[in-house]
Amino acid sequence: DAKTTQPTSMDCAEGRAANLPCNHSTISGNEYVYWYRQIHSQGPQYIIHGLKNNETNEMASLIITEDRKSSTLILPHATLRDTAVYYCIVRRPNAGKSTFGDGTTLTVKP
Amino acid sequence: NAGVTQTPKFQVLKTGQSMTLQCAQDMNHEYMSWYRQDPGMGLRLIHYSVGAGITDQGEVPNGYNVSRSTTEDFPLRLLSAAPSQTSVYFCASREDRDFTDTQYFGPGTRLTVL
């Protein structure tokens, strides 16, 4: 599975968009990008995934660059409850183990 | 569905003791895994299983054993607890029938080894 690089931490003002970057320059053609988040002390929660097209659901949007070497998770109107650790994972679906890195700690401030 | 359940929620052990952390899922997922999370750190994969009777090592398997006799259950055994195993342990299961690849996590077991 491709390795990912994320900033250690980010801040965002409440009500503003939070843009969380992820670099995955060694991604293969059949690998998807998955995002999870972990709110303090809880198990991680799936947010969104994509292959090459931009994706949107009720939680977030995922923008993947045309060369697929990086992506951005967008929380359009961040709230205090979005304060969490966000993990970007790149892997082939239905294919063995899933590993997480250290993620990005997002702090949403009033 | 109850999802992924873990017992116990909290556990204190003395060095050298052994114990089993229980994990069960009722979603008929083939893939299950165990992670540990140390304070301020990300998740590290201990062991995983792609189906009943099949297990494999993850990133940090030393000191832990697993077995998968049924689709539903995936217990994690600590053979001889050490203070370095103080951590929060998460069990997860994953649906491998389509490309969503979503993992579902349990609430965690908080283990302290004295």
Side-chain angles (χ1 to χ4, degrees):
Chain A
D1 296 335
K3 180 177 171 56
T4 61
T5 303
Q6 299 178 253
T8 302
S9 63
M10 297 181 62
D11 291 341
C12 177
E14 187 178 20
R16 303 295 294 268
N19 297 282
L20 293 94
C22 180
N23 183 287
H24 33 80
S25 58
T26 60
I27 191 170
S28 300
N30 59 354
E31 290 181 318
Y32 282 62
V33 180
Y34 299 88
W35 283 84
Y36 287 77
R37 75 176 181 184
Q38 184 178 25
I39 296 172
H40 181 63
S41 298
Q42 299 179 18
Q45 174 192 23
Y46 163 83
I47 301 173
I48 198 168
H49 75 281
L51 180 61
K52 54 183 178 181
N53 297 322
N54 297 338
E55 302 288 344
T56 296
N57 63 19
E58 65 278 5
M59 293 181 67
S61 295
L62 174 60
I63 308 297
I64 302 174
T65 58
E66 192 166 344
D67 63 7
R68 303 211 321 126
K69 293 184 177 182
S70 65
S71 61
T72 301
L73 179 75
I74 301 172
L75 308 177
H77 305 286
T79 70
L80 299 179
R81 289 176 295 179
D82 292 321
T83 292
V85 179
Y86 288 79
Y87 297 96
C88 168
I89 300 162
V90 172
R91 60 185 303 279
R92 290 177 296 127
N94 311 332
K97 63 184 178 183
S98 292
T99 56
F100 289 70
D102 290 330
T104 295
T105 299
L106 174 69
T107 303
V108 180
K109 298 185 174 181
Chain B
N1 288 347
V4 179
T5 58
Q6 292 183 236
T7 56
K9 287 188 169 57
F10 300 92
Q11 183 69 50
V12 179
L13 292 177
K14 295 181 179 179
T15 297
Q17 288 184 313
S18 62
M19 80 159 295
T20 299
L21 307 185
Q22 301 292 342
C23 175
Q25 52 93 9
D26 60 0
M27 297 172 283
N28 201 32
H29 290 170
E30 292 295 325
Y31 179 92
M32 296 185 72
S33 56
W34 276 100
Y35 298 87
R36 61 175 288 176
Q37 185 171 38
D38 299 335
M41 304 292 288
L43 296 160
R44 290 184 291 172
L45 181 66
I46 304 172
H47 285 287
Y48 66 101
S49 169
V50 297
I54 306 170
T55 63
D56 207 345
Q57 297 181 347
E59 301 167 291
V60 289
N62 291 342
Y64 307 95
N65 272 356
V66 292
S67 60
R68 185 92 180 273
S69 56
T70 67
T71 299
E72 294 78 21
D73 300 299
F74 192 43
L76 177 72
R77 281 184 289 278
L78 279 71
L79 308 173
S80 177
S84 61
Q85 293 179 304
T86 293
S87 191
V88 180
Y89 291 83
F90 290 102
C91 178
S93 72
R94 188 180 75 204
E95 183 168 9
D96 278 353
R97 287 192 286 268
D98 57 30
F99 289 98
T100 62
D101 202 48
T102 304
Q103 287 204 83
Y104 298 85
F105 283 80
T109 294
R110 282 144 187 83
L111 176 68
T112 301
V113 182
L114 304 175

